[in-house]
Amino acid sequence: MAEFLQFLLSGITVGAIYALVGLGFSIIYNASHVINFAQGEFVMLGGMGTVFLMAAGLPLIVAMPLAICVVVAVGLILEKLAVEPARDATVVTLIIITIGASIFIRGAVEVTLGKDFHRLPGFSGDEPILIGGAALQRQSLWIIGALIVVVAGLKWFFDHTRLGKAVLATSHNRIAAQLVGIEVRTILLVSFGLSAGLGALAGILTAPITLTKYDIGIMLGLKGFAAAILGGLGSGFGAVAGGIVLGVIEAMAAGYVSSAYKDAVAFVIILGVLFFMPSGLFGAKGAERV
Amino acid sequence: MGDRAQKSLFDLSVARKVQGTAKHSPHAPLSATEAAPGGDGAVRTVGAWLFSARTGGVLLLAAIVAILPLFLPNKFYFDVAIKTALHAIVCVGLNLLIGYAGQISLGHAGFFALGGYASAILTARFGWPGLVAMLAGAVGVGVLAFLVARPILRLKGHYLAMATLGLGIIISIIINREIPLTGGPDGMSVPALWVGPWRLTGPITWYWISGVTLVLAVWLALNLVESPMGRALRALHGSEVAAETTGIDVTRYKVLVFVVSAVFASIAGSLFAHAERFMTPVEAGFLRSIEFVTMVVLGGMASIFGSVVGAAILTALPQVLAVFHDFKHLALGAILIAVMIFMPKGLVPTLAALWRRRVG
Amino acid sequence: MRLRVDNVTKEFGGVRAVSELSFTVEPGRVHSIIGPNGAGKTTLFNIITGVYTPTQGRIWLGDDDITALPPAARAARGIARTFQNLQIFFNMTALENVMVGRHLHAPRRILPSMFHMPGIKRANREARERAAELMRKVGLARFIGADADSMPYGALKRLEIARALATEPKILLLDEPAAGLNPKETLEIDELIQKIAQSGITVVLVEHNMKLVMGVSDHILVLDYGRRLAEGTAAEVRNNPDVIRAYLGVGAVAGAA
């Protein structure tokens, strides 16, 4: 039982990270139908940025928001310089562009910050809390708490602010949104900024648990993408649910079946779900009109 | 016009894909003669025959393969050329899937590596003859592709991307973990390829093997593209529903092209294993899959020769960029973005269009 | 061959687009289906060609129940169509679009295709010649060397007809072939439909242009909200009080368009 609880707790923690990354995918996808393969790099940048700002002597409380701001700026620049000029390109072209961006960002970090592993201290110490025989990392509470705050914040943003409603409208129908005077280019910028910020947050929160390095973004990005797909692309709730489900199953599989195949589990699940539910767990069924 | 704009409203991915596809696809660089109105029933002259993409293009490629060794100063460059040719074979197959049939795959490195490891394991651990192992690998990969193709290719757009990506990653993880068989992350060495009494080793031998195989692969792919089946592939890319109602069994063709492209990748992988005498899981990795797709898109979707050019550039470029040392990845990323923004149709179709406008 | 729609219903999430509809298309005739927008005409085409599966009911072709056949198999049995929202292969040339229509009559085996065996060569030549011939027949001679996406709207409408004809259909379904065309082009389509009908192909026509419909049709079916409102010859339909009511009511604008 303690063992099960242990796996569940670590699964939820990891799942919350996947959810945060997956939300980033969903937000950009909704606004632009682009899958941003550089999403994982935002996560890496957040963690690495904070590490180096703290190494420069800044306290966490300053380094963290500063790092997020830097990553948001990177997201905006990416949108402006790489995605915006290719607005009308094919899906595959846009995928390649974001992949190019991710290679570029990884390369930039490799050159400037090096290839070593780095670690952030836990936000409230590294002593685990014992619950029913299972150890809960204090950092997990920060991660889960952050996810809850983010989800609530996003809900408020989309339901109650003009900008949020404009983003939603654009995702439903781009042309109609343009007709009612919504500046679609602004929406795209906002979505990239928002996703970059979320990614950075996820990267900072995980750094105390999983360490950070210039190339951790690849796998985290893919898992986040998997979470978004599992939940149904474009569904915010889906991305969160998909992330948690993915994290928990992965932790259970690692604990009870084989830790060697931990990373494979996520993708086996994804394939299974897609084979039987081609639009994900919560995705809308798209009917083809002729 | 109105209708096309309307279509993009509810089916963004397909509509955009279509717009971005090269028109003169099979006739890639030399299409002027093919597109001529006289094509219907007119007797094609020897000249036209020579300058058609299928014949002239293949001859040109063969000529390049034949004289290139004169310009390769040492073993290192031969090695780059071998890798280029083998990557190009994968891309030619992959372009049939992505460029012609319009179905993305982000997992083809998996098939490439499975072919390579099939050759490696069956020859090294089980003592099979090299050619038999290669064939077994190709058949095995073909069967695997056939089995997964039906459920996978029902998916569209990003869901298809995710599924193929997942498949590739699962293959890569298995190769990484089955250490007794594959050697795990450290890789495994591969015996030399024996064909009858001949032991095929050395960069020059392998240059010719990969070069000739590439020419053959290009010829086969061009033939397919210019057959009724090839038109069916492009048609289902253009409009699935119109293809269906015109009598094309869309599912069958998607499965078929997926299997063909997987087998191309498998054979290239087998050759790669014997040429390099070493296989590592890096060959199966997500980044390798991405590289293949990038080569296809960079060279030009629905352009077979584009795939060869794309493979050549992206295989050779990192070697060239090596002079930048640590800035290699930075430069690669920037180049990718720039080419995609300024030449979204890819190098060969863009240059071919420029050339056509120049000529007439 | 006789096409029979037998008690067909199609629901989309509880909304009935077609409701318990039955009718028969006799071979060799021009059979028009008219009705206001949203009457279920295109849905009906999608059911007949197998793009949609009906919620209930059967489709018969001759003595065979084809309800469960996929679109490609129905095409093989001689049903071809055009689309209201153009479905052109914009990634191909105009000629190639029509050549695709020869698919069912060409060899389609993988190895001969990849090795470019003589049969494939012959099939390519045959397809190219037939396609060019059909393009001339529908009045697209000057577009034979063109890319599909460089062609004007009216020409694309005819390109779809040429592609459909290339399959050598027994029954041709035309979905609003005159929509968006100017009077001269409409007249040409009128002539083309008559020419197609004279060649022995059964034509099922959905069209809003009443002058065109009344002129070419042997038989007219009037739909309203997915149900049959009236059926008969042009004269019978024109004088049917239900039809007059429907068309002077909400459907009047659509009918006149």
Side-chain angles (χ1 to χ4, degrees), chain A residues 69-112:
Chain A
C69 288
V70 169
V71 179
V72 168
V74 171
L76 296 179
I77 293 170
L78 169 66
E79 199 282 329
K80 213 65 211 157
L81 292 188
V83 177
E84 174 78 47
R87 257 315 307 145
D88 299 320
T90 67
V91 170
V92 180
T93 304
L94 283 164
I95 288 179
I96 305 279
I97 286 178
T98 60
I99 286 170
S102 80
I103 296 174
F104 183 87
I105 294 173
R106 259 202 312 281
V109 170
E110 192 185 339
V111 171
T112 52

Side-chain angles (χ1 to χ4, degrees), chain A residues 29 32-33 35 37 81-82 85 87-97 99-101 103-104 106-108 110-111 173 175 218-219 222 225-226 229 232-233 260-261 263-264 267-268 270-271 274-276 278-280 289-290, chain B residues 6 9-13 16-17 19-21 98 104 106 148 151-152 154-156 158-159 161-163 165-167 169-170 173-174 177-178 240-241 286-287 290 293-294 297 301 326-327 329-330 332-334 336-337 340-341 344:
Chain A
Y29 178 79
S32 64
H33 279 229
I35 286 294
F37 275 88
L81 292 188
R87 257 315 307 145
D88 299 320
T90 67
V91 170
V92 180
T93 304
L94 283 164
I95 288 179
I96 305 279
I97 286 178
I99 286 170
I103 296 174
F104 183 87
R106 259 202 312 281
E110 192 185 339
V111 171
N173 189 331
I175 310 256
I218 302 174
M219 211 16 123
L222 292 179
F225 183 27
I229 289 273
L233 255 188
Y261 281 102
D263 283 334
F267 296 101
V268 172
I270 281 291
L271 280 185
L274 289 181
F275 283 5
F276 297 106
S279 21
R289 272 186 62 182
V290 181
Chain B
Q6 198 183 350
L9 271 178
F10 47 80
D11 194 354
L12 266 172
S13 57
R16 282 217 228 117
K17 252 190 294 184
Q19 286 164 16
T21 311
I98 301 179
I104 182 100
L106 297 182
V148 297
I152 277 192
R154 273 194 317 157
L155 305 167
K156 292 189 199 308
H158 299 301
Y159 292 91
M162 180 73 236
L165 185 162
L167 182 69
I169 289 184
I170 291 168
I173 292 174
I174 292 174
R177 299 290 183 253
E178 293 303 315
E240 273 193 31
V241 66
F286 169 64
L287 292 180
I290 293 299
V293 175
T294 308
V297 178
M301 298 245 281
D326 292 343
F327 290 90
H329 289 125
L330 208 66
L332 187 63
L336 272 187
I337 296 173
M340 284 301 97
I341 289 173

Side-chain angles (χ1 to χ4, degrees), chain C residues 21 31-42 44-45 176 204-214 217 219-234 237-238 243-244 246-247 254-255:
Chain C
L21 186 66
H31 191 115
S32 289
I33 300 170
I34 61 172
N37 282 326
K41 304 180 300 281
T42 297
L44 192 59
F45 267 23
E176 300 198 17
V204 184
L205 175 69
V206 162
E207 181 53 60
H208 281 308
N209 186 317
M210 282 307 127
K211 199 162 152 256
L212 174 66
V213 170
M214 294 299 166
S217 309
H219 192 90
I220 299 174
L221 167 70
V222 189
L223 290 187
D224 196 20
Y225 295 107
R227 294 175 183 279
R228 176 171 58 193
L229 190 66
E231 198 172 7
T233 63
V237 163
R238 205 181 292 134
V243 175
I244 294 169
Y247 269 76

Side-chain angles (χ1 to χ4, degrees), chain B:
Chain B
M1 274 322 282
D3 273 288
R4 259 189 277 168
Q6 198 183 350
K7 181 175 167 50
S8 64
L9 271 178
F10 47 80
D11 194 354
L12 266 172
S13 57
V14 174
R16 282 217 228 117
K17 252 190 294 184
V18 172
Q19 286 164 16
T21 311
K23 220 80 1 117
H24 288 275
S25 34
H27 324 279
L30 306 154
S31 74
T33 50
E34 268 290 293
D40 52 301
V43 183
R44 293 164 92 195
T45 62
V46 176
W49 177 76
L50 256 183
F51 284 100
S52 75
R54 226 187 50 246
T55 320
V58 170
L59 287 177
L60 182 68
L61 180 67
I64 293 172
V65 169
I67 60 168
L68 188 65
L70 299 175
F71 303 95
L72 298 175
N74 57 40
K75 188 175 173 304
F76 173 77
Y77 286 91
F78 271 93
D79 192 48
V80 173
I82 291 166
K83 280 186 180 144
T84 297
L86 296 177
H87 288 163
I89 294 170
V90 179
C91 293
V92 165
L94 194 55
N95 205 344
L96 292 174
L97 180 72
I98 301 179
Y100 289 94
Q103 311 296 311
I104 182 100
S105 168
L106 297 182
H108 257 56
F111 297 130
F112 178 78
L114 279 183
Y117 274 101
S119 279
I121 293 168
L122 291 176
T123 53
R125 312 243 192 269
F126 299 95
W128 288 33
L131 285 180
V132 179
M134 191 181 300
L135 194 69
V139 171
V141 166
V143 169
L144 173 69
F146 178 77
L147 291 178
V148 297
R150 220 162 252 276
I152 277 192
L153 294 166
R154 273 194 317 157
L155 305 167
K156 292 189 199 308
H158 299 301
Y159 292 91
L160 179 63
M162 180 73 236
T164 50
L165 185 162
L167 182 69
I169 289 184
I170 291 168
I171 293 172
S172 143
I173 292 174
I174 292 174
I175 290 173
N176 264 300
R177 299 290 183 253
E178 293 303 315
I179 297 170
L181 215 50
T182 62
D186 295 336
M188 69 180 286
S189 48
V190 183
L193 181 63
W194 285 85
V195 175
W198 295 288
R199 184 170 181 269
L200 305 178
T201 52
I204 297 180
T205 310
W206 276 99
Y207 173 83
W208 291 112
I209 293 172
S210 3
V212 170
T213 314
L214 171 63
V215 174
L216 183 68
V218 166
W219 183 70
L220 291 174
L222 284 171
N223 285 343
L224 179 62
V225 165
E226 288 191 33
S227 73
M229 293 184 98
R231 285 193 291 276
L233 291 179
R234 285 193 286 152
L236 74 88
H237 183 183
S239 163
E240 273 193 31
V241 66
E244 281 272 7
T245 54
T246 311
I248 295 165
D249 182 345
V250 165
T251 312
R252 176 169 171 260
Y253 278 87
K254 284 183 182 175
V255 171
L256 181 107
V257 71
F258 193 70
V259 170
V260 167
S261 68
V263 169
F264 270 51
S266 169
I267 289 173
S270 288
L271 293 174
F272 179 89
H274 285 299
E276 297 292 312
R277 303 286 303 277
F278 204 78
M279 277 303 284
T280 70
V282 174
E283 302 306 332
F286 169 64
L287 292 180
R288 189 66 90 227
S289 287
I290 293 299
E291 269 176 0
F292 287 141
V293 175
T294 308
M295 288 169 184
V296 169
V297 178
L298 182 75
M301 298 245 281
S303 164
I304 294 293
F305 292 105
S307 289
V308 180
V309 172
I313 292 176
L314 281 180
T315 309
L317 193 65
Q319 314 297 336
V320 178
L321 292 178
V323 299
F324 296 114
H325 298 290
D326 292 343
F327 290 90
K328 183 172 96 174
H329 289 125
L330 208 66
L332 187 63
I335 291 170
L336 272 187
I337 296 173
V339 173
M340 284 301 97
I341 289 173
F342 298 112
M343 297 185 186
K345 290 188 171 177
L347 285 168
V348 169
T350 307
L351 295 178
L354 276 178
W355 167 257
R356 262 197 303 277
R357 218 174 307 150
R358 265 272 196 79
V359 173

Side-chain angles (χ1 to χ4, degrees), chain C residues 28-205:
Chain C
R29 301 220 255 167
V30 177
H31 191 115
S32 289
I33 300 170
I34 61 172
N37 282 326
K41 304 180 300 281
T42 297
T43 305
L44 192 59
F45 267 23
N46 284 333
I47 293 170
I48 293 172
T49 52
V51 177
Y52 294 160
T53 319
T55 313
Q56 178 199 305
R58 317 242 129 240
I59 309 289
W60 298 83
L61 187 63
D63 295 327
D64 299 331
D65 180 353
I66 59 166
T67 319
L69 288 185
R74 296 188 200 201
R77 286 177 180 235
I79 298 179
R81 74 175 286 187
T82 65
F83 296 85
Q84 183 189 347
N85 300 323
L86 289 174
Q87 294 287 335
I88 299 286
F89 308 128
F90 282 114
N91 54 337
M92 302 170 94
T93 67
L95 190 71
E96 285 171 334
N97 265 270
V98 185
M99 286 168 81
V100 172
R102 297 301 297 161
H103 182 76
L104 287 164
H105 305 277
R108 321 184 279 276
R109 294 221 318 278
I110 182 74
L111 288 178
S113 298
M114 290 185 89
F115 285 95
H116 205 63
M117 304 294 256
I120 299 294
K121 263 182 236 184
R122 223 175 305 121
N124 278 345
R125 202 182 321 119
E126 188 266 358
R128 190 172 290 122
E129 284 164 12
R130 287 295 295 273
E133 185 191 314
L134 277 168
M135 283 184 71
R136 284 189 213 102
K137 212 174 191 169
V138 302
L140 292 177
R142 70 194 181 91
F143 291 107
I144 285 176
D147 282 339
D149 67 358
S150 67
M151 292 166 69
Y153 183 78
L156 291 174
K157 288 240 148 190
R158 271 187 263 186
L159 188 63
E160 282 208 341
I161 297 178
R163 181 178 67 196
L165 287 174
T167 66
E168 300 180 18
K170 296 191 182 73
I171 302 174
L172 175 61
L173 286 73
L174 299 172
D175 199 347
E176 300 198 17
L181 301 189
N182 64 34
K184 180 171 164 286
E185 289 172 325
T186 306
L187 210 64
E188 287 166 2
I189 287 284
D190 190 328
E191 281 166 20
L192 182 58
I193 293 173
Q194 300 201 22
K195 219 159 63 178
I196 292 168
Q198 276 157 22
S199 71
I201 298 171
T202 311
V203 175
V204 184
L205 175 69

